[in-house]
Amino acid sequence: MKDPNNRRILITVIMGSVRPGSYTSKAVALVANEIELHDDIAFEVVDPATLKLLPPGITGDETDAKKLRASVSKATGVIFATPEYHGSFSSITKLVIENLGFPSVLSGKPVTLLGVAAGQIGAIKSLEALSSVCAHVGAIVLPGPVSVPRVREVFDSQGRCLDSVVEKRIRSVATNLIDYIRGNICPRLTLEAMVRAGTA
Ligand SMILES: Cc1cc2nc3c(=O)[nH]c(=O)nc-3n(C[C@H](O)[C@H](O)[C@H](O)COP(=O)(O)O)c2cc1C
């Protein structure tokens, strides 16, 4: 199924760092590469650095917020990748979530989480906080969030992952979501299509 128009599954990946050359983007590149291995899946990486997102209550140009909401609305599943900043997920990730509406278009979407941190404890605290916020807005947060500690030692300057075990764990953020979608959402969509067509 090489035609992109035939790709039934769409995954939106939300980048949680706007820092040029961020380690989050290096990890996201691996996640994107893993998704690309699946011919029937399309994906979009949302880079908030390219969007003008406003805090709630500030009126202004809503064009990019609408684009963001459209990407998440049509997604079958969503991946959040965030750095750990001051013991939590990044403020830009929160701004993205706040721009997803109230009620949120994340509601009902399966979500997997990836956190990277410079420290040896990893991104545990940011993943717990992000999981809580995603669940609060109604997302289906899948078990198995991936935390990458000492991330600056894991990638080289070219973005190559130097640790095959860590690379496998980062890629699992994609495969975990894909397995959930294939096992739970695709059968439901197929059944609905059959019911509509009168063949079920
Ligand atoms: C404002 C700020 C706060 C940070 N707080 C933490 C922290 O609490 N724990 C930690 O392990 N690393 C912390 N770091 C380091 C980041 O985890 C590190 O920059 C890492 O490269 C991931 O961020 P990046 O994707 O932007 O590169 C912090 C960095 C910044 C800029």
Side-chain angles (χ1 to χ4, degrees), residues 33 61 73 75 95 105 108 141 173 183:
N33 178 260
D61 187 353
S73 285
L95 185 62
V105 290
V141 185
V173 176

Side-chain angles (χ1 to χ4, degrees), residues 17 19 21-25 83-87 116-119 122 151-152:
S17 175
R19 203 176 64 75
S22 74
Y23 286 90
T24 302
S25 67
E84 174 130 333
Y85 287 166
H86 294 324
V116 306
V151 69
R152 293 175 184 174

Side-chain angles (χ1 to χ4, degrees), residues 128-139:
E128 279 179 2
L130 183 53
S131 172
S132 168
V133 170
C134 287
H136 183 87
V137 301

Side-chain angles (χ1 to χ4, degrees), residues 30 146 148 154-155 161 163-171:
L30 285 182
V146 171
V148 182
V154 166
F155 289 97
C161 190
D163 184 324
S164 60
V165 174
V166 176
E167 175 166 343
K168 205 168 164 203
R169 289 180 52 241
I170 293 171
R171 288 177 179 275

Side-chain angles (χ1 to χ4, degrees), residues 10-87:
L10 173 63
I11 292 176
T12 297
V13 184
I14 314 268
M15 181 96 76
S17 175
V18 292
R19 203 176 64 75
S22 74
Y23 286 90
T24 302
S25 67
K26 291 173 169 57
V28 163
L30 285 182
V31 170
N33 178 260
E34 184 63 38
I35 301 172
E36 272 170 352
L37 301 176
H38 300 262
D39 281 348
D40 59 335
I41 304 181
F43 71 96
E44 290 176 1
V45 175
V46 171
D47 181 356
T50 66
L51 302 176
K52 282 200 183 98
L53 298 177
L54 298 167
I58 302 297
T59 46
D61 187 353
E62 282 273 307
T63 310
D64 286 355
K66 282 183 185 154
K67 244 194 276 175
L68 169 68
R69 280 198 288 276
S71 175
V72 171
S73 285
K74 64 183 186 215
T76 326
V78 177
I79 294 173
F80 281 97
T82 181
E84 174 130 333
Y85 287 166
H86 294 324

